[in-house]
Amino acid sequence: MKVAIKEDILKEEDRIGARNREVLHKHGVTAFNLIGSPGAGKTSLIEAAYRQLLGKAKIGVIEGDLASDKDTVRLKKLGLEALQINTGRGCHLSPGMVEEALSDIPLDLIDILIIENVGNLVCPVSFHLGEEAKIGLVSVAEGDDKPTKYPLLFREAAVVILNKIDLIPYTDFSREAFYQGLRVINPTIPVIELSCRTGEGVGEWGEWLIGYCQNLYERMKPENGN
Ligand SMILES: Nc1nc2c(ncn2[C@@H]2O[C@H](COP(=O)(O)OP(=O)(O)OP(=O)(O)O)[C@@H](O)[C@H]2O)c(=O)[nH]1
Ligand SMILES: [Mg+2]
């Protein structure tokens, strides 16, 4: 009985996620669900995307945090459309929360929506918020064993971002161990190494975002049967 109820709730969540995706498509917006540990550099990665895509695509952001509007204030200062969701005790954003937020975002003014999920490598992975792809973010400071210990995200994400590579000389982070662990979980997933601090690698991150959107539009053209 309990199992059946839980499945129903999850199905309802999936329906809302699918509805969100439809709304986003109608407005020509491609959404990404950005997932990573607290402090891994999610907001910094969004700031980097904004700078890389200036004049190419407009980014809007939904910020998920248990409390405070710090990240939203930070992004708005840069000039981004950003909306904060506070989850209280919730360890992830739900499709329903995003559905509500979508009505407050000027979707016709943006091309890409990045949803910064609550800092957590586990719970956010189970929910489809309406995104085209999940972006998995890890940083050097967290250690090289995250793919092995938290495989869910690394199986589902479309790309892995390894941030804070400027710290590699000062830590025991082993690239070899990181890639070995990751390839067991997901042999083909692309990885972008970068530093939001120094700017190294952020060009590749901007190119990945634009490339993903362009491929998606190609696939969705009516002559391709979608
Ligand atoms: N050394 C170094 N520090 C970084 C880098 N990227 C981000 N940081 C720092 O890491 C800290 C956390 O960055 P945020 O972008 O706020 O991380 P977040 O994942 O959004 O954090 P939460 O929203 O609190 O989960 C800040 O002090 C950043 O300046 C980097 O590439 N190298
Ligand atoms: Mg943040």
Side-chain angles (χ1 to χ4, degrees):
M1 181 69 172
K2 261 190 194 162
V3 171
I5 291 170
K6 199 171 170 200
E7 274 178 5
D8 279 351
I9 293 170
L10 281 176
K11 272 187 198 150
E12 179 55 17
E13 298 276 21
D14 280 346
R15 275 192 284 271
I16 301 172
R19 224 159 47 212
N20 290 347
R21 188 163 175 248
E22 265 176 43
V23 170
L24 289 159
H25 276 187
K26 244 182 235 162
H27 292 270
V29 176
T30 306
F32 296 93
N33 187 353
L34 174 57
I35 300 176
S37 306
K42 297 180 293 300
T43 311
S44 305
L45 191 71
I46 295 171
E47 291 169 334
Y50 170 75
R51 293 194 183 98
Q52 289 300 312
L53 269 53
L54 263 181
K56 293 182 192 152
K58 276 209 150 187
I59 300 180
V61 182
I62 294 178
E63 272 294 334
D65 285 295
L66 267 68
S68 100
D69 62 354
K70 274 176 172 286
D71 284 354
T72 305
V73 169
R74 205 169 130 186
L75 295 171
K76 279 186 174 167
K77 263 192 200 156
L78 260 190
L80 276 109
E81 289 288 344
L83 192 136
Q84 184 76 48
I85 298 176
N86 284 145
T87 58
R89 286 170 173 271
C91 57
H92 63 87
L93 289 173
S94 71
M97 291 172 189
V98 171
E99 184 178 42
E100 260 184 52
L102 287 183
S103 54
D104 291 326
I105 291 185
L107 294 174
D108 287 328
L109 299 184
I110 62 170
D111 307 297
I112 292 174
L113 176 69
I114 302 184
I115 305 170
E116 178 179 336
N117 222 310
V118 176
N120 185 325
L121 282 178
V122 187
C123 313
V125 184
S126 303
F127 295 85
H128 174 244
L129 305 176
E131 75 271 11
E132 295 305 322
K134 290 181 173 60
I135 295 168
L137 171 69
V138 279
S139 86
V140 163
E142 294 150 51
D144 51 33
D145 55 3
K146 292 301 156 291
T148 311
K149 287 180 171 175
Y150 301 92
L152 297 180
L153 176 61
F154 301 92
R155 275 197 201 110
E156 286 215 11
V159 64
V160 170
I161 310 292
L162 175 61
N163 186 29
K164 307 195 187 182
I165 56 169
D166 54 295
L167 297 180
I168 288 182
Y170 312 106
T171 65
D172 62 356
F173 186 94
S174 153
R175 273 197 174 93
E176 198 189 347
F178 175 76
Y179 282 101
Q180 238 172 32
L182 179 65
R183 291 304 171 217
V184 171
I185 305 300
N186 191 331
T188 55
I189 191 165
V191 180
I192 301 173
E193 293 191 12
L194 53 79
S195 166
C196 293
R197 175 65 51 85
T198 66
E200 190 182 349
V202 295
E204 198 185 333
W205 157 232
E207 280 161 23
W208 184 89
L209 268 177
I210 291 282
Y212 192 96
C213 294
Q214 280 169 348
N215 283 339
L216 190 70
Y217 296 141
E218 285 302 316
R219 287 204 307 270
M220 284 173 56
K221 274 186 186 165
E223 63 265 30
N224 292 337
N226 290 305

